[in-house]
Amino acid sequence: MPEVILYVAASVDGYIARPDGSVDWLETLPEPEAKSEPEPAGGQVEADDYGYGEFIAGVGVVLMGRVTYEQILSFGVAYPYPGTAGYVFSRNRAGEQDDNVRFVAGDDIGGLVARLKAEQDKNLWLVGGGQLVREFLRLDLIDRIELFILPIILGEGIPLFPPATPQRDLTLTDCRAYATGMAQLTYRRAPAQGSSGVV
Amino acid sequence: MPEVILYVAASVDGYIARPDGSVDWLETLPEPEAKSEPEPAGGQVEADDYGYGEFIAGVGVVLMGRVTYEQILSFGVAYPYPGTAGYVFSRNRAGEQDDNVRFVAGDDIGGLVARLKAEQDKNLWLVGGGQLVREFLRLDLIDRIELFILPIILGEGIPLFPPATPQRDLTLTDCRAYATGMAQLTYRRAPAQGSSGVV
């Protein structure tokens, strides 16, 4: 069953970018050591790409906001999600498409997600940004959160969960520390009765 | 050598309280199972008090802001930190003291911390709130952060790291998941050259 996955990196204080949108600080962390290293003490896990290769191989659809898409294009590198169906939420450009994505208005996000889950069997990656995350949370459409926390307090920036995000109880399913200082928290929905816990 | 420790619980989106200051949501998590339970799969750690008993036994001084202190008094229970020397930062009440704490203006926090580290050998617990945390970060006085993340997105609230908090690189030293869904991240300063990583 395909999942909608929020797979995102943030600072300890919950920012996904500096106020001007720059993500230079995301680059400060080195690649983890190759998998052949023995597992270090303390239960930290090494992975040569933070598990991204395995994650992206299981993704069939990417979902993002307009500003996020424009920022990706501005990096001046090849589009990073070839082989996926892309949907960018933009009222102004709804109905258009380019080489990478279709633009949709977002009037029926629940219907779109249901259709994408029915017509293909890979995961849907909610790339961002914060406003789209807030909308997906409001509609309770996020099945899993892979939150990568960089070991930095930014102090100011664009929040992952912007104001007026609704309250959501979650279930923690994993907590991993990488030797680079990255922490990865995996959350799913809380059980239907609303209690938090671990599956 | 005594450490200044920020030991604090926050929501996934980095709030320490709702906008009105209420912390009802902190109570929603059950106590972890007793230590005699076998360690569950997935590397999760059980502890009967999230390690609080061991932590508080090593604390000789508590440091807090005025609003935080008043909130603690408002709970209507016995003062929770007997046996510690307490300092509350309040310009209005500087020089006063009550049964629990001394009130200080905070004009020389660095000097106060240095003195407290020299004259006793237990840790200094930075209880909060966010404004005091920001000031301690600005002065680079925090030696360790024990960040407990509850499995809940609050959506709005009083931030742990309020606006104008300075940028700080950190070193992740531990990442633990409790069966209750609580995640605990332990951070220390980054090495002097400013690179992040894990000690």
Side-chain angles (χ1 to χ4, degrees), chain B residues 9 15 40-41 54 56 73-74 98 104 106 118 143-144 166 172 184-185:
Chain B
Y15 297 119
E54 183 180 337
I56 194 65
L73 294 182
S74 78
D98 66 14
V104 294
D143 299 306
R144 176 157 46 116
L172 179 73
Q184 178 182 3
L185 302 179

Side-chain angles (χ1 to χ4, degrees), chain A residues 55-62 83-87 120-125:
Chain A
F55 168 76
I56 194 66
V59 168
V61 177
V62 292
T84 65
Y87 292 84
Q120 57 91 53
D121 56 11
K122 285 185 152 186
N123 292 320
L124 286 59
W125 177 10

Side-chain angles (χ1 to χ4, degrees), chain A residues 167 169 194 196, chain B residues 9-11 15-30 71 74-75 150-154 156-158 182:
Chain A
Q167 175 174 331
D169 292 335
S196 304
Chain B
S11 64
Y15 297 119
I16 52 177
R18 294 190 190 278
D20 64 358
S22 64
V23 290
D24 58 291
W25 52 280
L26 285 180
E27 309 301 317
T28 59
L29 232 58
Q71 188 189 40
S74 78
F75 289 153
L150 275 87
I152 184 170
I153 297 168
L154 267 187
E156 55 174 5
I158 299 173
M182 187 83 87

